[in-house]
Amino acid sequence: MNHTQSSNRSADKKRRWSGPATIQLLDHDILCIIFSFLDFFDLVRCSAVCTSWNVLIKRSKLLQSLYLKQKKKKEGDSNLEESLSVYLEVLAMKHHRQALSEPSSVYIDKWKAHSLGVDQCRMKMGLLLTGVGDKAMRLWSLESYKCIEEYSIPNACSLVDFDFDESKIVGLIGTQVCLWRRNGPMSTFPPRGGTYMKGLCMRYLDPEAVVGCEDGTARIFDLYSKKCSKIIRMHPEPVTCLSLGDEQIILGGSSLGRITVSDYSSDQCIATLKPTDSTGIKTLCFNPRSHMVFSGTAAGYTSCWDLRMMRRVWETRVSPNVVYSLQHLSNDKSSLVVGGIDGVLRILDQNSGIILSSYVIDHDAGSSSSGYSHGTIERRKGKSLPSETIIDQIPRSSRPSITCLAVGMKKVVTTHNSKYIRVWKFKK
């Protein structure tokens, strides 16, 4: 084949390609050159984009090379033996904390998710589960804001609480626990005739669901045998919220402001924790990395206890009103996100209780909108509040009450007992 024929064939090949130019068309060597210009954190983010990029970055050992350069910079550091995975986790949590407490910008995406008020949300694996209000739970993609699946609630029943994992949805409905297989049928238990006191809250850790009841007990249901395997007496008064600790520990908050720490295996009360005020405990969360448990009360207090010593570490009144929800990223030992009736999203230091930053919706900055398959996404900016701000002077439209929140990497999802979901994205 002569040079002219080769050139003609190459030209024909270029003419035959009529599709858009995409990054997938780039040769692996060119991609490696592009990736080599990225810093450590951006390279990690690229490795999570898709399987082919992940394989390419691992084979090229770009991450390992950057990691070794970082270690050389820390020659005087005594912790040079930490693994690459540990380093990546520490770096990710550092970026997460900085984004929440010192963002360069905050964007809030809002869309209509239900026909009635959305009270609760749960976030895992890039998915968001919402519900309570219109007899349905919906599972959303946090990338596209598309509704992936919908789960109907039995008629004449009220959804109280719910959770999910990669294979199932678990819901507390009045006096029953419901189980939905992803893309599968629904089942309820206990069977007809076998009911228990009204459930007020639920936590799920496969294979069991723990239900906090009006009679002060926590009832444990095995999702495979569909039976109540254990009843633990938590309080004389109703159990209003639950959290599951490590080593078979159950924490239950009560309507009179007590937190009971019980041993799952022995049914024994280990300790009782009491905030300064005696108002009801509205929310609990446990951090297995630090062995700290955090609570929010009806009087606006947020407290922290160390479960290894069963002592209170700090207590802060973050709001004059009810704290409905507080959460942290699973591996984060620094930032705690708090929301409640006053509608201000607050970031606290887990170790001291100091308020690092506070945010509301900035309605003065205008908004933009874009269509998607289920409706319209409205985007607004978030506004950071100075510490001396008088909250009552901020319009309620900029701070709708936060009934529940869920924390992801540099993002927070909030519900407001309205039809809408909000996703707060923190840019650093």
Side-chain angles (χ1 to χ4, degrees), residues 103 105-108 343-345 357-365 380-386 389 393-395 398-399 424 426:
S105 59
V106 181
Y107 293 99
I108 306 165
V344 178
L345 191 71
S357 52
S358 303
Y359 305 99
V360 294
I361 304 165
D362 189 354
H363 278 94
D364 296 330
R380 289 189 178 273
K381 288 186 176 182
K383 178 169 64 176
S384 178
L385 299 180
T389 301
Q393 293 180 354
I394 301 174
S398 294
R399 52 182 186 93
W424 304 61
F426 298 82

Side-chain angles (χ1 to χ4, degrees), residues 20 27 32 140 159 182 208 227 359 391 407:
D27 185 84
C32 281
W140 306 86
L159 179 64
R182 293 282 301 272
E208 293 165 325
K227 293 180 180 179
Y359 305 99
I391 302 301
V407 180

Side-chain angles (χ1 to χ4, degrees), residues 116 132-137 150-159:
L116 295 175
V132 180
D134 58 357
K135 304 300 181 183
M137 289 183 291
E150 182 172 307
Y151 305 90
S152 298
I153 310 302
N155 291 331
C157 293
S158 296
L159 179 64

Side-chain angles (χ1 to χ4, degrees), residues 228-247:
C228 180
S229 60
K230 193 165 293 188
I231 300 175
I232 300 175
R233 169 60 61 180
M234 301 291 286
H235 300 283
E237 62 271 13
V239 178
T240 54
C241 53
L242 288 167
S243 184
L244 304 182
D246 54 358
E247 299 178 356

